[in-house]
Amino acid sequence: MTVKRVLANEFAHEVAHDAAHDAADKLALDAATHVTLKVTHALANKRVNRPATNARGFTLIEVLIALAIVAIALASAMRAVGSVATGTQALHARLLAGWSADNRLTELHLEHAWPAFGVTSFACPQGNVALTCIQTVTATPNPLFRRIEVSVRSPDTGTTLLADLVTVVADETRRSL
């Protein structure tokens, strides 16, 4: 066998090999195109068979989820309103207690009296709220002054301190003019 013949055989073999690959690729492409066309045709038929409606709306699941979200929001809002109401009542009680303590200290200043040492408890209502005031008079380092503390508590609990005011009063009877 000559060299020309060997080269011709190799060339023929390569051409046949390339042609076989090209044919296989074309066949695979044709098969893929055929499958794609079948799927597209099937989808087109489904669209044609589907009734044409312009009705839009929510599904039942979407409505239930929205309802659950609204219910949770309302429950938390009610809880917050309850907390605010409780906080407002406590604030109102503290405000009235502060006024009661301030009233008692103002009375002592206006009386120009020299209070005796000790603890005194008395009712000091404000409006329709019943309160209990506890007045404590103690000495100071300067004998011409006395420390007066008025604590206001709710008679219901007795332990809850609502207000606590402190002042110092001078001995008006010993003051030089």
Side-chain angles (χ1 to χ4, degrees):
M1 220 193 261
T2 63
V3 175
K4 283 185 181 181
R5 208 177 210 178
V6 170
L7 288 175
N9 282 342
E10 284 181 17
F11 179 73
H13 180 67
E14 282 182 35
V15 168
H17 186 270
D18 288 343
H21 277 292
D22 288 344
D25 288 343
K26 186 174 189 269
L27 185 61
L29 183 62
D30 287 342
T33 304
H34 183 68
V35 169
T36 304
L37 287 175
K38 274 188 171 182
V39 170
T40 305
H41 182 61
L43 290 175
N45 284 341
K46 281 189 177 180
R47 283 192 199 121
V48 171
N49 293 339
R50 189 180 295 166
T53 60
N54 291 333
R56 295 179 187 218
F58 297 104
T59 64
L60 180 61
I61 295 294
E62 290 170 334
V63 170
L64 289 176
I65 289 172
L67 186 62
I69 290 170
V70 168
I72 291 170
L74 286 175
S76 63
M78 291 300 292
R79 189 174 192 189
V81 167
S83 296
V84 168
T86 303
T88 302
Q89 290 173 349
L91 183 62
H92 183 66
R94 288 183 188 278
L95 175 70
L96 294 178
W99 286 349
S100 289
D102 192 39
N103 286 347
R104 180 58 188 152
L105 293 179
T106 302
E107 286 173 6
L108 289 172
H109 280 288
L110 292 175
E111 288 174 358
H112 299 290
W114 187 240
F117 293 116
V119 178
T120 309
S121 179
F122 54 93
C124 56
Q126 279 291 328
N128 60 355
V129 178
L131 299 169
T132 303
C133 290
I134 301 168
Q135 176 181 311
T136 307
V137 180
T138 56
T140 61
N142 186 339
L144 297 176
F145 295 99
R146 293 215 170 137
R147 178 182 186 271
I148 302 174
E149 177 180 3
V150 177
S151 302
V152 183
R153 298 180 187 277
S154 171
D156 299 335
T157 60
T159 58
T160 305
L161 181 65
L162 297 175
D164 192 29
L165 292 178
V166 178
T167 192
V168 176
V169 220
D171 186 359
E172 297 287 332
T173 58
R174 291 206 225 162
R175 189 170 80 163
S176 62
L177 298 173

